[in-house]
Amino acid sequence: MKRLPLIASMLAILAVFALVLWFGVFGKPPIYRATISQAESPGSVLVVFYGKRYDEYTSSGQLIVPKVGWKITRLPGSPDTVRLEPESKAEPLRFETSTQPVLVSLIRHANGGVAKLEGAPGFTRQFNLRSPQETIENIQIGGPESTVPPTTEIFGFKPVYAIAIGLLVLVILVALAFRIAKR
């Protein structure tokens, strides 16, 4: 008869332990938000997405292109490559990601202008895209090698501390279960 309360107690302990881990002991992934726009300077800004990234990013909501102000061109001979060029006073491209990094390329060229990348509060970086030769400046938004810092605070602990805290909670709950079972 005493085994049933012990089994029930152990199941309750495992459920609580799983909830503790589920609700943030290991932390939530950070959220990265960024915008790319043309700074007020002469020249043009070319933003390029290679492969099927443009379609993936827009369909998943990681990239939001304003309805007006950006010229979108699929390059002939490479239909998976998409080039975006802002018109004057265009709203910025908006990026938001938490799990998968967003890879963006800026093209340096002879008529290049200045691109402005903004992210977390206070983070701004400008890229001078004027160059005699065409080259690529790659930007990563999100992930461990992100060009921009996360915009939300990361809640949680380092994995070592999270495991220690989880095991401590488990030991305390098991001790309580055995104490209750002895009564």
Side-chain angles (χ1 to χ4, degrees):
M1 214 47 191
K2 286 193 172 195
R3 287 191 179 252
L4 185 60
L6 181 61
I7 291 172
S9 298
M10 293 303 282
L11 288 175
I13 287 169
L14 288 175
V16 169
F17 183 67
L19 286 173
V20 166
L21 292 178
W22 181 263
F23 286 112
V25 171
F26 285 114
K28 297 176 183 175
I31 295 176
Y32 296 84
R33 291 185 183 98
T35 61
I36 294 179
S37 61
Q38 182 165 351
E40 292 188 27
S41 67
S44 66
V45 170
L46 299 176
V47 180
V48 178
F49 295 93
Y50 296 101
K52 298 182 186 283
R53 290 186 181 134
Y54 177 79
D55 295 324
E56 290 171 8
Y57 296 157
T58 53
S59 66
S60 68
Q62 292 175 298
L63 166 62
I64 299 170
V65 180
K67 300 261 187 227
V68 294
W70 286 83
K71 180 180 174 187
I72 302 169
T73 308
R74 291 193 183 267
L75 299 182
S78 184
D80 289 339
T81 301
V82 178
R83 182 177 75 193
L84 286 80
E85 185 174 1
E87 297 169 357
S88 70
K89 307 287 184 187
E91 291 290 317
L93 296 175
R94 299 195 179 285
F95 300 89
E96 183 172 325
T97 187
S98 63
T99 54
Q100 293 295 321
V102 174
L103 304 174
V104 183
S105 297
L106 300 174
I107 305 298
R108 295 186 198 284
H109 56 99
N111 296 325
V114 177
K116 183 167 60 171
L117 173 66
E118 295 181 299
F123 177 86
T124 300
R125 185 169 169 195
Q126 294 193 348
F127 297 89
N128 183 356
L129 301 176
R130 188 171 304 271
S131 173
Q133 280 189 317
E134 191 170 291
T135 59
I136 300 171
E137 175 75 34
N138 292 312
I139 297 171
Q140 180 175 320
I141 300 167
E145 297 177 18
S146 180
T147 307
V148 298
T151 54
T152 59
E153 290 192 23
I154 303 168
F155 173 77
F157 303 97
K158 291 182 180 179
V160 172
Y161 298 126
I163 291 169
I165 290 170
L167 289 175
L168 180 65
V169 168
L170 181 63
V171 167
I172 291 170
L173 291 174
V174 167
L176 287 173
F178 279 116
R179 185 174 174 135
I180 291 170
K182 284 184 178 182
R183 288 185 188 185

